Every structure is written in structure tokens, then in C-alpha cells.
Amino acid sequence: GAVVSQHPSWVICKSGTSVKIECRSLDFQATTMFWYRQFPKQSLMLMATSNEGSKATYEQGVEKDKFLINHASLTLSTLTVTSAHPEDSSFYICSASTGIRGYNEQFFGPGTRLTVL
Amino acid sequence: AQTVTQSQPEMSVQEAETVTLSCTYDTSESNYYLFWYKQPPSRQMILVIRQEAYKQQNATENRFSVNFQKAAKSFSLKISDSQLGDTAMYFCAFMSNTGKLIFGQGTTLQVKP
């Protein structure tokens, strides 16, 4: 149980275009989903936290107009990278949990590699 | 703000031997959770072990155990009988009651045959 999927696993796009990444909890209801960014050989940096049905909360320094996050249902959150540029190339990982307060284990998706040409 | 520090960027160990990965953290909170995650070349994050701060007993999971020193804010991971499949990047992480995870910089572990 507790499986999280991401789609696509790898995407290549041209500079200036937008890319949408989906994160799904397959066998549980995720009231909270998290989006992370990871550069090669570096740590995971939290970008934003989304709760189902409400606006995402972005971490300091993350452009909310560039990284649009939608959490429309208890099993799906999407991250849209708008007007992508080569510096947006990175590995994006989502995680899902059943709550935000207290201890709620985060279950991680397999990640999406974004390459912007 | 909480911080997590892993001071060993890279480590190596011979197969079947024991290795310890270090982690220190800083927080003013009294109740929190600490984790070690493994990220193999596939890049899928895998939970290795979890420690609740209010529990004095060190957590163990088969070949993996932790040395949790709350006063020193230290949380090291010991891997016994290292296997080739343990080769991965290991992240120490902190979670407060906000539910957010804060990760250390990571330690790349190479298990040599």
C-alpha cells in the first residue's frame, strides 16, 4: 500500500513552453501533497505544500506564478512549470500524506526529470 | 528555523562490514521526528528508519539502527553487514509538527565488493 505515482517520468520541452507534472496517490487519500526539487547530487528542497481544495503554500524564494500547483482532489496534485527555461531543468519529486499536523508519513513518488532546451 | 547537517559527503565501506553515517540537527522544539531515507540510483526515496524524539530507545530495522542523542542533537545511522544494494545516497531528515520534512545535504555511500 501507500503508492504514489508521477507522470511523466521524464519530459523534454522547449524554452518558453509550459509543462505539467502529475502526482497521484493510488491507494490512499492524500489530504496533503508536497513538491520538492532536487538538483544532481544535491538534497531535496521543499517547494510548496498543497492541501486538497485550497491554495498551495510556497516556500520562501519559490515563484508561485512560475510553479503553479493544483490539488483538486484527494488523489491528484499537479505542478505546472510555466514559461520554462533551462535553469528550471531539474528532478521534481512529489510526496503525499494523510495530514499536515502532527506526524504523518510522507510517501514519495518516483520523480520526474525535466529537461528544458 | 530547523537545520539538518550531514558532514560526510561521501563514504565507502567493504561488503559485509559496518558503516556509520552522521547527522546533526538544530531545533528548539521538544517533540519531533527524525528519519533516514535512502535514494538509490533509481532516485526513488525509500524510508529506512524513523525515530520519535520522545522515545529514548534507539530505533532498529534489521541491519539498520540509529544512535539518537537528543541532548547533543545527533542522529547517526549504522548499517551492519553492508550489502551491495545499500549503495545509495542517504538523507537524514527532520519533521516537526508542521508535517514538513527538512533534509540534510546527503551522504553518498558506496559499498565495495
Side-chain angles (χ1 to χ4, degrees), chain B residues 43-44 46 52 56-57 68 77 79 81 96 99 101 103 107 113:
Chain B
R43 303 191 78 170
Q44 171 72 58
I46 300 167
E52 293 150 52
Q56 291 187 337
Q57 186 173 7
F68 175 46
L77 174 70
I79 305 174
D81 185 25
S96 67
L101 279 170
F103 290 91
T107 297

Side-chain angles (χ1 to χ4, degrees), chain A residues 34 36 38-39 41-44 46 49 59 91 93 100-106 108-110, chain B residues 33 35 37 39 42-45 47 50 89 91 95-101 103-106:
Chain A
F34 302 85
Y36 298 86
Q38 184 182 30
F39 291 107
K41 297 187 183 296
Q42 293 189 23
S43 187
L44 282 72
L46 179 65
T49 304
E59 296 298 303
F91 193 66
I93 303 174
I100 184 64
R101 293 296 173 185
Y103 170 66
N104 293 283
E105 184 171 349
Q106 291 187 24
F108 287 84
Chain B
Y33 302 85
F35 307 84
Y37 284 91
Q39 189 180 42
S42 68
R43 303 191 78 170
Q44 171 72 58
M45 294 291 285
L47 177 62
R50 170 178 63 235
M89 196 160 188
F91 293 99
M95 179 189 285
S96 67
N97 61 4
T98 66
K100 296 181 181 180
L101 279 170
F103 290 91
Q105 302 93 323

Side-chain angles (χ1 to χ4, degrees), chain B residues 49-68:
Chain B
I49 200 164
R50 170 178 63 235
Q51 175 79 43
E52 293 150 52
Y54 65 86
K55 289 188 177 179
Q56 291 187 337
Q57 186 173 7
N58 289 324
T60 61
E61 287 287 343
N62 301 313
R63 299 182 296 107
F64 299 89
S65 61
V66 298
N67 183 0
F68 175 46

